[in-house]
Amino acid sequence: DAGVTQSPTHLIKTRGQQVTLRCSPKSGHDTVSWYQQALGQGPQFIFQYYEEEERQRGNFPDRFSGHQFPNYSSELNVNALLLGDSALYLCASSQKGQLYGYTFGSGTRLTVV
Amino acid sequence: KQEVTQIPAALSVPEGENLVLNCSFTDSAIYNLQWFRQDPGKGLTSLLLIQSSQREQTSGRLNASLDKSSGRSTLYIAASQPGDSATYLCAVFLGNYGQNFVFGPGTRLSVLP
């Protein structure tokens, strides 16, 4: 039973560019949450998707946007990249309405140069 | 606004020692608290989950306690081993107060052979 799959594992982008990160949730899960973890810090909540809509959002600018597909997979898009966007981006999946059983992926390491 | 802190930021101990990691949170309105392990550049592995109504949870050499009224949790690791070397993250899950985790910055643990 596959867990949460994220792609790519590593990515290097230039300041000002746009990036798309992808997440496939664990089998049986329909809710995807995204977190940003800067070096040496704990993860910070970006947003959560279920039923193909953004349901909750953390304190991140509109440059961060997302999408959820009918198969529950999700994308995180970041526009106009800044050096400060360099981080490990983690995806977590769960079942809608269940307040436990979150599973985290291994993350995508984004470096902005 | 919920904030989570962890002390110490880093810890280095010889193999075999018992150790305690500390976590504090500012708002007692939580659904549960989880301790995660993170190896360098990797995702998160859940170690222990304590529901807000519980006082402690144990798994093998790990024991976590929760005092919701004082906003504190501790993770006790018995007979530490070099394989325990990792970053340990404390996170509160807001549940019906907001379905996302708020993480602390982590404690980086090194267990020396």
Side-chain angles (χ1 to χ4, degrees), chain A residues 35 37 40-43 45 48 56 88 90 97-100 102 104-106 109, chain B residues 31-32 36 38 41-44 49 89 93 95-96 98-101 103-105:
Chain A
Y35 289 79
Q37 186 178 22
Q41 298 181 23
F45 175 69
Q48 183 183 76
Q56 189 179 346
L88 180 68
L90 295 165
Q98 287 196 349
L99 303 179
Y100 57 88
Y102 280 70
F104 281 83
S106 297
R109 170 71 63 186
Chain B
Y31 185 77
N32 63 47
F36 292 88
Q38 185 173 36
K42 303 296 185 182
L44 307 181
L49 183 154
L89 293 159
F93 185 66
N96 292 325
Q99 293 196 19
N100 61 278
F101 291 97
F103 285 85

PDB file of all heavy atoms in Angstrom, chain A residues 35 37 40-43 45 48 56 88 90 97-100 102 104-106 109, chain B residues 31-32 36 38 41-44 49 89 93 95-96 98-101 103-105:
ATOM      1  N   TYR A  35       2.723  21.819   3.527  1.00  0.00           N
ATOM      2  CA  TYR A  35       3.508  22.521   4.536  1.00  0.00           C
ATOM      3  C   TYR A  35       4.841  22.953   3.925  1.00  0.00           C
ATOM      4  O   TYR A  35       5.392  22.244   3.078  1.00  0.00           O
ATOM      5  CB  TYR A  35       3.782  21.615   5.742  1.00  0.00           C
ATOM      6  CG  TYR A  35       2.568  21.334   6.608  1.00  0.00           C
ATOM      7  CD1 TYR A  35       1.626  20.389   6.231  1.00  0.00           C
ATOM      8  CD2 TYR A  35       2.359  22.032   7.793  1.00  0.00           C
ATOM      9  CE1 TYR A  35       0.509  20.132   7.006  1.00  0.00           C
ATOM     10  CE2 TYR A  35       1.243  21.783   8.589  1.00  0.00           C
ATOM     11  CZ  TYR A  35       0.333  20.832   8.175  1.00  0.00           C
ATOM     12  OH  TYR A  35      -0.778  20.584   8.957  1.00  0.00           O
ATOM     13  N   GLN A  37       8.768  23.847   5.028  1.00  0.00           N
ATOM     14  CA  GLN A  37       9.730  23.743   6.121  1.00  0.00           C
ATOM     15  C   GLN A  37      11.047  24.373   5.693  1.00  0.00           C
ATOM     16  O   GLN A  37      11.811  23.792   4.918  1.00  0.00           O
ATOM     17  CB  GLN A  37       9.946  22.284   6.532  1.00  0.00           C
ATOM     18  CG  GLN A  37      10.839  22.141   7.756  1.00  0.00           C
ATOM     19  CD  GLN A  37      11.013  20.706   8.189  1.00  0.00           C
ATOM     20  OE1 GLN A  37      10.841  19.783   7.419  1.00  0.00           O
ATOM     21  NE2 GLN A  37      11.363  20.508   9.458  1.00  0.00           N
ATOM     22  N   GLY A  40      16.145  24.334   9.345  1.00  0.00           N
ATOM     23  CA  GLY A  40      16.282  24.560  10.773  1.00  0.00           C
ATOM     24  C   GLY A  40      14.998  24.953  11.483  1.00  0.00           C
ATOM     25  O   GLY A  40      15.035  25.277  12.679  1.00  0.00           O
ATOM     26  N   GLN A  41      13.882  24.934  10.778  1.00  0.00           N
ATOM     27  CA  GLN A  41      12.606  25.313  11.377  1.00  0.00           C
ATOM     28  C   GLN A  41      11.598  24.169  11.269  1.00  0.00           C
ATOM     29  O   GLN A  41      11.809  23.203  10.542  1.00  0.00           O
ATOM     30  CB  GLN A  41      12.051  26.556  10.677  1.00  0.00           C
ATOM     31  CG  GLN A  41      12.939  27.781  10.804  1.00  0.00           C
ATOM     32  CD  GLN A  41      12.337  28.989  10.118  1.00  0.00           C
ATOM     33  OE1 GLN A  41      11.128  29.077   9.919  1.00  0.00           O
ATOM     34  NE2 GLN A  41      13.171  29.941   9.763  1.00  0.00           N
ATOM     35  N   GLY A  42      10.502  24.306  12.003  1.00  0.00           N
ATOM     36  CA  GLY A  42       9.419  23.342  11.877  1.00  0.00           C
ATOM     37  C   GLY A  42       8.558  23.661  10.672  1.00  0.00           C
ATOM     38  O   GLY A  42       8.564  24.780  10.165  1.00  0.00           O
ATOM     39  N   PRO A  43       7.818  22.677  10.165  1.00  0.00           N
ATOM     40  CA  PRO A  43       6.923  22.923   9.027  1.00  0.00           C
ATOM     41  C   PRO A  43       5.844  23.951   9.370  1.00  0.00           C
ATOM     42  O   PRO A  43       5.366  24.008  10.504  1.00  0.00           O
ATOM     43  CB  PRO A  43       6.297  21.548   8.776  1.00  0.00           C
ATOM     44  CG  PRO A  43       7.254  20.569   9.373  1.00  0.00           C
ATOM     45  CD  PRO A  43       7.829  21.270  10.557  1.00  0.00           C
ATOM     46  N   PHE A  45       2.045  25.445   7.979  1.00  0.00           N
ATOM     47  CA  PHE A  45       0.886  25.080   7.178  1.00  0.00           C
ATOM     48  C   PHE A  45       0.643  26.093   6.073  1.00  0.00           C
ATOM     49  O   PHE A  45       0.564  27.296   6.331  1.00  0.00           O
ATOM     50  CB  PHE A  45      -0.330  24.996   8.104  1.00  0.00           C
ATOM     51  CG  PHE A  45      -1.641  24.750   7.410  1.00  0.00           C
ATOM     52  CD1 PHE A  45      -1.907  23.533   6.805  1.00  0.00           C
ATOM     53  CD2 PHE A  45      -2.617  25.734   7.386  1.00  0.00           C
ATOM     54  CE1 PHE A  45      -3.124  23.306   6.188  1.00  0.00           C
ATOM     55  CE2 PHE A  45      -3.836  25.515   6.774  1.00  0.00           C
ATOM     56  CZ  PHE A  45      -4.094  24.301   6.175  1.00  0.00           C
ATOM     57  N   GLN A  48      -4.976  23.494   2.742  1.00  0.00           N
ATOM     58  CA  GLN A  48      -5.557  22.164   2.705  1.00  0.00           C
ATOM     59  C   GLN A  48      -6.632  22.105   1.623  1.00  0.00           C
ATOM     60  O   GLN A  48      -7.410  23.053   1.462  1.00  0.00           O
ATOM     61  CB  GLN A  48      -6.174  21.806   4.057  1.00  0.00           C
ATOM     62  CG  GLN A  48      -6.754  20.401   4.127  1.00  0.00           C
ATOM     63  CD  GLN A  48      -7.423  20.134   5.468  1.00  0.00           C
ATOM     64  OE1 GLN A  48      -8.521  20.597   5.735  1.00  0.00           O
ATOM     65  NE2 GLN A  48      -6.733  19.378   6.319  1.00  0.00           N
ATOM     66  N   GLN A  56      -8.837  25.549   3.763  1.00  0.00           N
ATOM     67  CA  GLN A  56      -8.215  26.247   4.873  1.00  0.00           C
ATOM     68  C   GLN A  56      -6.859  26.722   4.383  1.00  0.00           C
ATOM     69  O   GLN A  56      -6.203  26.050   3.575  1.00  0.00           O
ATOM     70  CB  GLN A  56      -8.056  25.291   6.051  1.00  0.00           C
ATOM     71  CG  GLN A  56      -7.612  25.924   7.346  1.00  0.00           C
ATOM     72  CD  GLN A  56      -7.517  24.902   8.448  1.00  0.00           C
ATOM     73  OE1 GLN A  56      -8.020  23.795   8.322  1.00  0.00           O
ATOM     74  NE2 GLN A  56      -6.849  25.258   9.512  1.00  0.00           N
ATOM     75  N   LEU A  88      11.936  22.801   2.190  1.00  0.00           N
ATOM     76  CA  LEU A  88      11.392  21.464   1.949  1.00  0.00           C
ATOM     77  C   LEU A  88       9.876  21.597   1.994  1.00  0.00           C
ATOM     78  O   LEU A  88       9.322  22.102   2.976  1.00  0.00           O
ATOM     79  CB  LEU A  88      11.874  20.494   3.022  1.00  0.00           C
ATOM     80  CG  LEU A  88      11.396  19.039   2.917  1.00  0.00           C
ATOM     81  CD1 LEU A  88      12.003  18.347   1.694  1.00  0.00           C
ATOM     82  CD2 LEU A  88      11.745  18.262   4.188  1.00  0.00           C
ATOM     83  N   LEU A  90       6.374  19.772   2.186  1.00  0.00           N
ATOM     84  CA  LEU A  90       5.815  18.502   2.610  1.00  0.00           C
ATOM     85  C   LEU A  90       4.324  18.446   2.308  1.00  0.00           C
ATOM     86  O   LEU A  90       3.601  19.428   2.494  1.00  0.00           O
ATOM     87  CB  LEU A  90       6.032  18.311   4.115  1.00  0.00           C
ATOM     88  CG  LEU A  90       7.477  18.180   4.578  1.00  0.00           C
ATOM     89  CD1 LEU A  90       7.566  18.368   6.083  1.00  0.00           C
ATOM     90  CD2 LEU A  90       8.049  16.847   4.173  1.00  0.00           C
ATOM     91  N   GLY A  97     -12.796  14.685   7.419  1.00  0.00           N
ATOM     92  CA  GLY A  97     -13.615  14.487   8.618  1.00  0.00           C
ATOM     93  C   GLY A  97     -12.925  13.711   9.711  1.00  0.00           C
ATOM     94  O   GLY A  97     -13.398  13.690  10.849  1.00  0.00           O
ATOM     95  N   GLN A  98     -11.798  13.037   9.377  1.00  0.00           N
ATOM     96  CA  GLN A  98     -11.080  12.302  10.415  1.00  0.00           C
ATOM     97  C   GLN A  98      -9.977  13.181  10.974  1.00  0.00           C
ATOM     98  O   GLN A  98      -9.151  13.692  10.214  1.00  0.00           O
ATOM     99  CB  GLN A  98     -10.512  10.996   9.848  1.00  0.00           C
ATOM    100  CG  GLN A  98     -11.578   9.948   9.604  1.00  0.00           C
ATOM    101  CD  GLN A  98     -10.994   8.564   9.429  1.00  0.00           C
ATOM    102  OE1 GLN A  98      -9.790   8.418   9.292  1.00  0.00           O
ATOM    103  NE2 GLN A  98     -11.838   7.544   9.437  1.00  0.00           N
ATOM    104  N   LEU A  99      -9.932  13.318  12.272  1.00  0.00           N
ATOM    105  CA  LEU A  99      -8.977  14.223  12.902  1.00  0.00           C
ATOM    106  C   LEU A  99      -7.730  13.489  13.369  1.00  0.00           C
ATOM    107  O   LEU A  99      -7.105  13.863  14.348  1.00  0.00           O
ATOM    108  CB  LEU A  99      -9.656  14.941  14.069  1.00  0.00           C
ATOM    109  CG  LEU A  99     -10.912  15.718  13.678  1.00  0.00           C
ATOM    110  CD1 LEU A  99     -11.528  16.384  14.899  1.00  0.00           C
ATOM    111  CD2 LEU A  99     -10.595  16.757  12.604  1.00  0.00           C
ATOM    112  N   TYR A 100      -7.367  12.420  12.664  1.00  0.00           N
ATOM    113  CA  TYR A 100      -6.170  11.658  12.981  1.00  0.00           C
ATOM    114  C   TYR A 100      -5.756  10.917  11.721  1.00  0.00           C
ATOM    115  O   TYR A 100      -6.418  11.013  10.696  1.00  0.00           O
ATOM    116  CB  TYR A 100      -6.449  10.668  14.117  1.00  0.00           C
ATOM    117  CG  TYR A 100      -7.583   9.717  13.824  1.00  0.00           C
ATOM    118  CD1 TYR A 100      -7.375   8.508  13.162  1.00  0.00           C
ATOM    119  CD2 TYR A 100      -8.891  10.035  14.197  1.00  0.00           C
ATOM    120  CE1 TYR A 100      -8.416   7.654  12.873  1.00  0.00           C
ATOM    121  CE2 TYR A 100      -9.944   9.181  13.898  1.00  0.00           C
ATOM    122  CZ  TYR A 100      -9.702   7.989  13.251  1.00  0.00           C
ATOM    123  OH  TYR A 100     -10.753   7.157  12.959  1.00  0.00           O
ATOM    124  N   TYR A 102      -3.029  11.285   9.835  1.00  0.00           N
ATOM    125  CA  TYR A 102      -2.320  12.021   8.803  1.00  0.00           C
ATOM    126  C   TYR A 102      -1.029  11.290   8.442  1.00  0.00           C
ATOM    127  O   TYR A 102      -0.301  10.818   9.305  1.00  0.00           O
ATOM    128  CB  TYR A 102      -1.985  13.433   9.284  1.00  0.00           C
ATOM    129  CG  TYR A 102      -3.145  14.390   9.187  1.00  0.00           C
ATOM    130  CD1 TYR A 102      -4.256  14.272  10.025  1.00  0.00           C
ATOM    131  CD2 TYR A 102      -3.132  15.427   8.272  1.00  0.00           C
ATOM    132  CE1 TYR A 102      -5.324  15.143   9.934  1.00  0.00           C
ATOM    133  CE2 TYR A 102      -4.194  16.314   8.175  1.00  0.00           C
ATOM    134  CZ  TYR A 102      -5.279  16.167   9.012  1.00  0.00           C
ATOM    135  OH  TYR A 102      -6.334  17.032   8.915  1.00  0.00           O
ATOM    136  N   PHE A 104       2.534  11.791   6.159  1.00  0.00           N
ATOM    137  CA  PHE A 104       3.377  12.760   5.465  1.00  0.00           C
ATOM    138  C   PHE A 104       4.213  12.082   4.395  1.00  0.00           C
ATOM    139  O   PHE A 104       4.681  10.956   4.573  1.00  0.00           O
ATOM    140  CB  PHE A 104       4.313  13.468   6.449  1.00  0.00           C
ATOM    141  CG  PHE A 104       3.648  14.553   7.243  1.00  0.00           C
ATOM    142  CD1 PHE A 104       2.923  14.252   8.387  1.00  0.00           C
ATOM    143  CD2 PHE A 104       3.735  15.879   6.843  1.00  0.00           C
ATOM    144  CE1 PHE A 104       2.297  15.254   9.123  1.00  0.00           C
ATOM    145  CE2 PHE A 104       3.119  16.887   7.567  1.00  0.00           C
ATOM    146  CZ  PHE A 104       2.399  16.570   8.710  1.00  0.00           C
ATOM    147  N   GLY A 105       4.433  12.810   3.301  1.00  0.00           N
ATOM    148  CA  GLY A 105       5.369  12.377   2.277  1.00  0.00           C
ATOM    149  C   GLY A 105       6.787  12.769   2.639  1.00  0.00           C
ATOM    150  O   GLY A 105       7.023  13.401   3.677  1.00  0.00           O
ATOM    151  N   SER A 106       7.720  12.382   1.788  1.00  0.00           N
ATOM    152  CA  SER A 106       9.137  12.662   2.041  1.00  0.00           C
ATOM    153  C   SER A 106       9.547  14.064   1.617  1.00  0.00           C
ATOM    154  O   SER A 106      10.649  14.507   1.936  1.00  0.00           O
ATOM    155  CB  SER A 106      10.015  11.648   1.317  1.00  0.00           C
ATOM    156  OG  SER A 106       9.763  10.350   1.812  1.00  0.00           O
ATOM    157  N   ARG A 109      12.491  19.097  -2.096  1.00  0.00           N
ATOM    158  CA  ARG A 109      13.463  20.134  -1.704  1.00  0.00           C
ATOM    159  C   ARG A 109      13.572  21.134  -2.838  1.00  0.00           C
ATOM    160  O   ARG A 109      14.068  20.809  -3.905  1.00  0.00           O
ATOM    161  CB  ARG A 109      14.822  19.510  -1.410  1.00  0.00           C
ATOM    162  CG  ARG A 109      15.955  20.503  -1.241  1.00  0.00           C
ATOM    163  CD  ARG A 109      15.841  21.295   0.042  1.00  0.00           C
ATOM    164  NE  ARG A 109      15.931  20.446   1.222  1.00  0.00           N
ATOM    165  CZ  ARG A 109      15.746  20.882   2.458  1.00  0.00           C
ATOM    166  NH1 ARG A 109      15.439  22.152   2.669  1.00  0.00           N
ATOM    167  NH2 ARG A 109      15.848  20.069   3.474  1.00  0.00           N
TER     168      ARG A 109
ATOM    169  N   TYR B  31      -6.628  19.440  19.709  1.00  0.00           N
ATOM    170  CA  TYR B  31      -7.299  18.158  19.600  1.00  0.00           C
ATOM    171  C   TYR B  31      -6.379  17.033  20.039  1.00  0.00           C
ATOM    172  O   TYR B  31      -6.775  16.107  20.716  1.00  0.00           O
ATOM    173  CB  TYR B  31      -7.783  17.937  18.169  1.00  0.00           C
ATOM    174  CG  TYR B  31      -8.599  16.688  18.001  1.00  0.00           C
ATOM    175  CD1 TYR B  31      -9.922  16.652  18.420  1.00  0.00           C
ATOM    176  CD2 TYR B  31      -8.049  15.543  17.433  1.00  0.00           C
ATOM    177  CE1 TYR B  31     -10.680  15.497  18.277  1.00  0.00           C
ATOM    178  CE2 TYR B  31      -8.795  14.398  17.284  1.00  0.00           C
ATOM    179  CZ  TYR B  31     -10.107  14.377  17.713  1.00  0.00           C
ATOM    180  OH  TYR B  31     -10.843  13.247  17.577  1.00  0.00           O
ATOM    181  N   ASN B  32      -5.124  17.091  19.587  1.00  0.00           N
ATOM    182  CA  ASN B  32      -4.116  16.148  20.043  1.00  0.00           C
ATOM    183  C   ASN B  32      -2.733  16.744  19.872  1.00  0.00           C
ATOM    184  O   ASN B  32      -2.579  17.853  19.318  1.00  0.00           O
ATOM    185  CB  ASN B  32      -4.231  14.798  19.318  1.00  0.00           C
ATOM    186  CG  ASN B  32      -3.979  14.887  17.818  1.00  0.00           C
ATOM    187  OD1 ASN B  32      -3.025  15.504  17.374  1.00  0.00           O
ATOM    188  ND2 ASN B  32      -4.827  14.234  17.037  1.00  0.00           N
ATOM    189  N   PHE B  36       7.010  13.799  16.246  1.00  0.00           N
ATOM    190  CA  PHE B  36       7.493  13.260  14.989  1.00  0.00           C
ATOM    191  C   PHE B  36       9.016  13.159  15.022  1.00  0.00           C
ATOM    192  O   PHE B  36       9.691  13.926  15.709  1.00  0.00           O
ATOM    193  CB  PHE B  36       7.122  14.180  13.806  1.00  0.00           C
ATOM    194  CG  PHE B  36       5.657  14.252  13.494  1.00  0.00           C
ATOM    195  CD1 PHE B  36       4.841  15.170  14.133  1.00  0.00           C
ATOM    196  CD2 PHE B  36       5.098  13.420  12.543  1.00  0.00           C
ATOM    197  CE1 PHE B  36       3.492  15.260  13.826  1.00  0.00           C
ATOM    198  CE2 PHE B  36       3.750  13.498  12.225  1.00  0.00           C
ATOM    199  CZ  PHE B  36       2.943  14.421  12.871  1.00  0.00           C
ATOM    200  N   GLN B  38      12.309  13.288  12.332  1.00  0.00           N
ATOM    201  CA  GLN B  38      12.703  13.662  10.972  1.00  0.00           C
ATOM    202  C   GLN B  38      14.198  13.439  10.806  1.00  0.00           C
ATOM    203  O   GLN B  38      15.004  14.046  11.502  1.00  0.00           O
ATOM    204  CB  GLN B  38      12.352  15.121  10.673  1.00  0.00           C
ATOM    205  CG  GLN B  38      12.628  15.524   9.231  1.00  0.00           C
ATOM    206  CD  GLN B  38      12.132  16.911   8.906  1.00  0.00           C
ATOM    207  OE1 GLN B  38      12.182  17.815   9.743  1.00  0.00           O
ATOM    208  NE2 GLN B  38      11.644  17.106   7.684  1.00  0.00           N
ATOM    209  N   GLY B  41      16.873  15.888   5.711  1.00  0.00           N
ATOM    210  CA  GLY B  41      16.351  15.994   4.356  1.00  0.00           C
ATOM    211  C   GLY B  41      15.177  15.096   4.048  1.00  0.00           C
ATOM    212  O   GLY B  41      14.769  14.994   2.887  1.00  0.00           O
ATOM    213  N   LYS B  42      14.613  14.465   5.071  1.00  0.00           N
ATOM    214  CA  LYS B  42      13.531  13.502   4.857  1.00  0.00           C
ATOM    215  C   LYS B  42      12.203  14.019   5.380  1.00  0.00           C
ATOM    216  O   LYS B  42      12.114  15.092   5.972  1.00  0.00           O
ATOM    217  CB  LYS B  42      13.882  12.178   5.551  1.00  0.00           C
ATOM    218  CG  LYS B  42      15.191  11.561   5.105  1.00  0.00           C
ATOM    219  CD  LYS B  42      15.175  11.160   3.649  1.00  0.00           C
ATOM    220  CE  LYS B  42      16.452  10.444   3.268  1.00  0.00           C
ATOM    221  NZ  LYS B  42      16.479  10.074   1.830  1.00  0.00           N
ATOM    222  N   GLY B  43      11.155  13.217   5.160  1.00  0.00           N
ATOM    223  CA  GLY B  43       9.835  13.569   5.657  1.00  0.00           C
ATOM    224  C   GLY B  43       9.692  13.248   7.133  1.00  0.00           C
ATOM    225  O   GLY B  43      10.668  13.018   7.837  1.00  0.00           O
ATOM    226  N   LEU B  44       8.447  13.245   7.588  1.00  0.00           N
ATOM    227  CA  LEU B  44       8.149  13.086   9.010  1.00  0.00           C
ATOM    228  C   LEU B  44       7.611  11.696   9.301  1.00  0.00           C
ATOM    229  O   LEU B  44       6.767  11.188   8.569  1.00  0.00           O
ATOM    230  CB  LEU B  44       7.107  14.117   9.441  1.00  0.00           C
ATOM    231  CG  LEU B  44       7.409  15.571   9.119  1.00  0.00           C
ATOM    232  CD1 LEU B  44       6.287  16.466   9.623  1.00  0.00           C
ATOM    233  CD2 LEU B  44       8.728  15.995   9.710  1.00  0.00           C
ATOM    234  N   LEU B  49       1.196   9.768  19.461  1.00  0.00           N
ATOM    235  CA  LEU B  49       0.074  10.698  19.399  1.00  0.00           C
ATOM    236  C   LEU B  49      -0.657  10.640  20.734  1.00  0.00           C
ATOM    237  O   LEU B  49      -0.997   9.547  21.214  1.00  0.00           O
ATOM    238  CB  LEU B  49      -0.871  10.312  18.256  1.00  0.00           C
ATOM    239  CG  LEU B  49      -2.084  11.214  17.991  1.00  0.00           C
ATOM    240  CD1 LEU B  49      -2.512  11.078  16.531  1.00  0.00           C
ATOM    241  CD2 LEU B  49      -3.266  10.862  18.892  1.00  0.00           C
ATOM    242  N   LEU B  89      10.304  16.604  16.359  1.00  0.00           N
ATOM    243  CA  LEU B  89       9.369  17.724  16.226  1.00  0.00           C
ATOM    244  C   LEU B  89       8.112  17.441  17.044  1.00  0.00           C
ATOM    245  O   LEU B  89       7.554  16.346  16.989  1.00  0.00           O
ATOM    246  CB  LEU B  89       8.975  17.924  14.767  1.00  0.00           C
ATOM    247  CG  LEU B  89      10.070  18.394  13.818  1.00  0.00           C
ATOM    248  CD1 LEU B  89       9.723  18.077  12.387  1.00  0.00           C
ATOM    249  CD2 LEU B  89      10.301  19.884  13.966  1.00  0.00           C
ATOM    250  N   PHE B  93      -2.253  19.472  17.017  1.00  0.00           N
ATOM    251  CA  PHE B  93      -3.259  19.407  15.965  1.00  0.00           C
ATOM    252  C   PHE B  93      -4.493  20.118  16.476  1.00  0.00           C
ATOM    253  O   PHE B  93      -4.990  19.828  17.569  1.00  0.00           O
ATOM    254  CB  PHE B  93      -3.573  17.954  15.620  1.00  0.00           C
ATOM    255  CG  PHE B  93      -4.516  17.808  14.460  1.00  0.00           C
ATOM    256  CD1 PHE B  93      -4.139  18.192  13.184  1.00  0.00           C
ATOM    257  CD2 PHE B  93      -5.781  17.290  14.648  1.00  0.00           C
ATOM    258  CE1 PHE B  93      -5.006  18.054  12.118  1.00  0.00           C
ATOM    259  CE2 PHE B  93      -6.659  17.143  13.584  1.00  0.00           C
ATOM    260  CZ  PHE B  93      -6.269  17.535  12.312  1.00  0.00           C
ATOM    261  N   GLY B  95      -7.546  20.285  15.253  1.00  0.00           N
ATOM    262  CA  GLY B  95      -8.828  19.597  15.141  1.00  0.00           C
ATOM    263  C   GLY B  95      -9.925  20.525  14.703  1.00  0.00           C
ATOM    264  O   GLY B  95      -9.801  21.217  13.694  1.00  0.00           O
ATOM    265  N   ASN B  96     -11.000  20.560  15.436  1.00  0.00           N
ATOM    266  CA  ASN B  96     -12.124  21.397  15.075  1.00  0.00           C
ATOM    267  C   ASN B  96     -11.816  22.882  15.195  1.00  0.00           C
ATOM    268  O   ASN B  96     -12.611  23.725  14.760  1.00  0.00           O
ATOM    269  CB  ASN B  96     -13.343  21.050  15.928  1.00  0.00           C
ATOM    270  CG  ASN B  96     -13.884  19.675  15.592  1.00  0.00           C
ATOM    271  OD1 ASN B  96     -13.850  19.255  14.439  1.00  0.00           O
ATOM    272  ND2 ASN B  96     -14.361  18.961  16.592  1.00  0.00           N
ATOM    273  N   GLY B  98      -9.335  24.089  13.706  1.00  0.00           N
ATOM    274  CA  GLY B  98      -8.541  24.338  12.496  1.00  0.00           C
ATOM    275  C   GLY B  98      -7.791  23.077  12.159  1.00  0.00           C
ATOM    276  O   GLY B  98      -6.929  22.645  12.906  1.00  0.00           O
ATOM    277  N   GLN B  99      -8.111  22.449  11.047  1.00  0.00           N
ATOM    278  CA  GLN B  99      -7.577  21.106  10.798  1.00  0.00           C
ATOM    279  C   GLN B  99      -6.177  21.153  10.220  1.00  0.00           C
ATOM    280  O   GLN B  99      -5.950  20.788   9.072  1.00  0.00           O
ATOM    281  CB  GLN B  99      -8.540  20.340   9.895  1.00  0.00           C
ATOM    282  CG  GLN B  99      -9.849  20.057  10.591  1.00  0.00           C
ATOM    283  CD  GLN B  99     -10.647  18.990   9.897  1.00  0.00           C
ATOM    284  OE1 GLN B  99     -10.136  18.205   9.109  1.00  0.00           O
ATOM    285  NE2 GLN B  99     -11.933  18.959  10.183  1.00  0.00           N
ATOM    286  N   ASN B 100      -5.253  21.633  11.033  1.00  0.00           N
ATOM    287  CA  ASN B 100      -3.869  21.617  10.631  1.00  0.00           C
ATOM    288  C   ASN B 100      -2.992  21.507  11.865  1.00  0.00           C
ATOM    289  O   ASN B 100      -3.444  21.706  12.984  1.00  0.00           O
ATOM    290  CB  ASN B 100      -3.507  22.871   9.836  1.00  0.00           C
ATOM    291  CG  ASN B 100      -3.693  24.143  10.634  1.00  0.00           C
ATOM    292  OD1 ASN B 100      -4.791  24.659  10.740  1.00  0.00           O
ATOM    293  ND2 ASN B 100      -2.603  24.646  11.231  1.00  0.00           N
ATOM    294  N   PHE B 101      -1.730  21.141  11.616  1.00  0.00           N
ATOM    295  CA  PHE B 101      -0.747  21.052  12.675  1.00  0.00           C
ATOM    296  C   PHE B 101      -0.032  22.400  12.834  1.00  0.00           C
ATOM    297  O   PHE B 101       0.210  23.104  11.853  1.00  0.00           O
ATOM    298  CB  PHE B 101       0.324  20.006  12.340  1.00  0.00           C
ATOM    299  CG  PHE B 101      -0.159  18.583  12.363  1.00  0.00           C
ATOM    300  CD1 PHE B 101      -0.538  17.954  11.187  1.00  0.00           C
ATOM    301  CD2 PHE B 101      -0.217  17.865  13.542  1.00  0.00           C
ATOM    302  CE1 PHE B 101      -0.972  16.637  11.187  1.00  0.00           C
ATOM    303  CE2 PHE B 101      -0.645  16.549  13.567  1.00  0.00           C
ATOM    304  CZ  PHE B 101      -1.024  15.942  12.393  1.00  0.00           C
ATOM    305  N   PHE B 103       3.620  23.273  14.298  1.00  0.00           N
ATOM    306  CA  PHE B 103       4.844  22.582  14.690  1.00  0.00           C
ATOM    307  C   PHE B 103       5.759  23.489  15.515  1.00  0.00           C
ATOM    308  O   PHE B 103       5.800  24.707  15.319  1.00  0.00           O
ATOM    309  CB  PHE B 103       5.632  22.149  13.455  1.00  0.00           C
ATOM    310  CG  PHE B 103       5.064  20.959  12.736  1.00  0.00           C
ATOM    311  CD1 PHE B 103       4.069  21.123  11.790  1.00  0.00           C
ATOM    312  CD2 PHE B 103       5.533  19.684  12.997  1.00  0.00           C
ATOM    313  CE1 PHE B 103       3.549  20.031  11.111  1.00  0.00           C
ATOM    314  CE2 PHE B 103       5.028  18.589  12.331  1.00  0.00           C
ATOM    315  CZ  PHE B 103       4.031  18.757  11.385  1.00  0.00           C
ATOM    316  N   GLY B 104       6.529  22.841  16.382  1.00  0.00           N
ATOM    317  CA  GLY B 104       7.649  23.526  17.006  1.00  0.00           C
ATOM    318  C   GLY B 104       8.856  23.481  16.072  1.00  0.00           C
ATOM    319  O   GLY B 104       8.817  22.811  15.036  1.00  0.00           O
ATOM    320  N   PRO B 105       9.937  24.148  16.446  1.00  0.00           N
ATOM    321  CA  PRO B 105      11.122  24.207  15.585  1.00  0.00           C
ATOM    322  C   PRO B 105      11.971  22.947  15.623  1.00  0.00           C
ATOM    323  O   PRO B 105      12.875  22.777  14.803  1.00  0.00           O
ATOM    324  CB  PRO B 105      11.899  25.402  16.134  1.00  0.00           C
ATOM    325  CG  PRO B 105      11.494  25.462  17.565  1.00  0.00           C
ATOM    326  CD  PRO B 105      10.062  25.016  17.620  1.00  0.00           C
TER     327      PRO B 105
END
